[in-house]
Amino acid sequence: MAALPPLDDLTVPRSTASARAVLSASLRRLAGDLAAVAPALPPALRARLRELRRDDPGRVLSALRRATVGVLLRTSRGGSVSPALAGVLARELGAPLDTPLAASAPCLSAREPAGSYHPIARELVLATVDVNPLAMLEAHPDKEGNAIDLGGVAPARWCEALRAALDVIEAHLPIVREEIDLVVQQIVPVGYDAERHLSASYAEAVGTVYLTLHPSPMTMVEALVHEHQHNKLNALLDVDPILENHPSERYASPVRPDPRPLFGVLLAVHAFLPVEALYERALDAGEAHLEARYRAIVAKNREGAAVLLAHARPTAMGRALLDEIARLS
């Protein structure tokens, strides 16, 4: 794995430097993944890769940064190459791969096929096409996968709600808003629900967030911060396991009804501590109606942090992360 020194602001960042370092290390590993699968790619695509590595290596790195390419490389580790990889990579690199698979493959950089990507803000898009082969695998007991579903709501309304949520994050946690620009590239809609909100991220799908649309603006704010945090830790997992606890160990989670591996508890606390910080700053700005929700989040964060600090066996990187969580909680 690529070397990365311990970082002490991966939870509530002081700047975007740590997120940039994590993404760069993850990108280096993806470059190795691409080299490993290259012999299994079609000859025309291999030739295009050789050409670009010689004449325009930055274009290859840009392609590796795409959430659609990264997920297919990660899901190809240690096994057969994902069948969609050649098509998606060919589209991103402009390779002359004349196959039906390439013709229908999405190209996130070009926002194709037309009508599949809807601009939210800056480079972030709402995506109604998804190449993640794990999208229907679900660990949450209240969900059955993440099939694309606009829930009967027009994409424009989704984008409007997401922009409003991002504006709240910008107002209260501007560095996290900057991090979202770095880390999250696409949001995949998985339904509308006025009663509850469900969202998901996958370790293999760095840059992609799955979420439902909810009428409460603050629910959408929480979901975006929460899933951004998951994506950041998922990128870190490319280069460091963070915890050495075995996945079979189970502990109470502050946000799930089912006992979780300790890493699941870490995901929850790491996701909700910046949400806590956002509510605290909103309260300082005079939004007193958020007091009850703030106190509930604080209680859950303290509960989860206590479990983590009592049972975690961290790596060096994990120790720096846990020390930060201890300071924040």
Side-chain angles (χ1 to χ4, degrees):
M1 290 188 179
L4 187 66
L7 302 167
D8 64 359
D9 67 336
L10 285 174
T11 308
V12 178
R14 295 185 296 272
S15 72
T16 61
S18 290
R20 289 180 186 275
V22 169
L23 290 175
S24 294
S26 174
L27 194 61
R28 290 193 292 272
R29 184 173 180 195
L30 284 177
D33 293 330
L34 179 57
V37 303
L41 298 175
L45 182 51
R46 293 203 307 271
R48 179 63 170 160
L49 276 170
R50 286 194 297 271
E51 173 191 348
L52 289 173
R53 283 169 172 154
R54 182 187 67 240
D55 300 333
D56 190 6
R59 183 163 182 183
V60 178
L61 291 175
S62 293
L64 290 176
R65 278 205 71 244
R66 302 297 172 195
T68 47
V69 173
V71 67
L72 295 173
L73 280 172
R74 292 186 183 92
T75 53
S76 295
R77 287 172 181 164
S80 59
V81 177
S82 173
L85 176 60
V88 171
L89 194 56
R91 293 292 306 280
E92 291 290 347
L93 296 178
L97 191 59
D98 186 18
T99 68
L101 193 62
S104 63
C107 184
L108 183 52
S109 62
R111 307 293 191 259
E112 295 176 349
S116 297
Y117 295 104
H118 307 270
I120 297 171
R122 303 170 194 173
E123 296 301 310
L124 181 62
V125 297
L126 182 77
T128 53
V129 61
D130 186 23
V131 297
N132 179 7
L134 306 178
M136 293 310 294
L137 298 179
E138 181 57 62
H140 198 288
D142 296 330
K143 289 180 66 184
E144 295 182 1
N146 290 285
I148 293 171
D149 179 8
L150 288 164
V153 179
R157 283 187 55 200
W158 275 83
C159 293
E160 181 182 355
L162 291 164
R163 286 188 203 106
L166 289 167
D167 287 345
V168 173
I169 298 169
E170 176 78 40
H172 299 302
L173 284 180
I175 294 298
V176 171
R177 176 67 187 89
E178 287 186 40
E179 276 196 345
I180 290 172
D181 283 341
L182 283 174
V183 177
V184 183
Q185 300 172 33
Q186 59 178 3
I187 293 173
V188 177
V190 292
Y192 172 88
D193 195 322
E195 301 301 323
R196 61 177 184 168
H197 187 272
L198 296 171
S199 60
S201 299
Y202 290 80
E204 298 82 359
V206 174
T208 299
V209 166
Y210 299 84
L211 54 77
T212 55
L213 184 63
H214 190 278
S216 165
M218 290 308 295
T219 297
M220 300 303 291
V221 167
E222 289 189 27
L224 284 173
V225 174
H226 184 116
E227 297 303 336
H228 158 66
Q229 291 287 103
H230 286 356
N231 270 256
K232 192 163 57 169
L233 274 197
N234 288 338
L236 180 57
L237 282 178
D238 268 346
V239 294
D240 192 283
I242 307 175
L243 298 179
E244 296 176 350
N245 298 73
H246 195 275
S248 64
E249 300 175 35
R250 290 292 189 269
Y251 300 91
S253 168
V255 297
R256 289 274 293 264
D258 51 330
R260 298 283 287 149
L262 197 64
F263 188 77
V265 180
L266 172 62
L267 281 171
V269 176
H270 180 259
F272 273 103
L273 278 170
V275 174
E276 174 185 324
L278 186 148
Y279 272 83
E280 184 174 10
R281 293 173 194 182
L283 287 169
D284 290 343
E287 299 187 45
H289 62 285
L290 300 177
E291 178 77 27
R293 178 59 179 159
Y294 168 72
R295 292 191 178 279
I297 292 169
V298 169
K300 289 182 180 296
N301 281 340
R302 301 305 176 269
E303 177 188 343
V307 172
L308 274 176
L309 299 175
H311 300 288
R313 298 191 298 278
T315 64
M317 179 69 73
R319 171 49 58 196
L321 180 59
L322 289 175
D323 287 347
E324 181 193 3
I325 287 172
R327 291 194 304 273
L328 292 171
S329 58

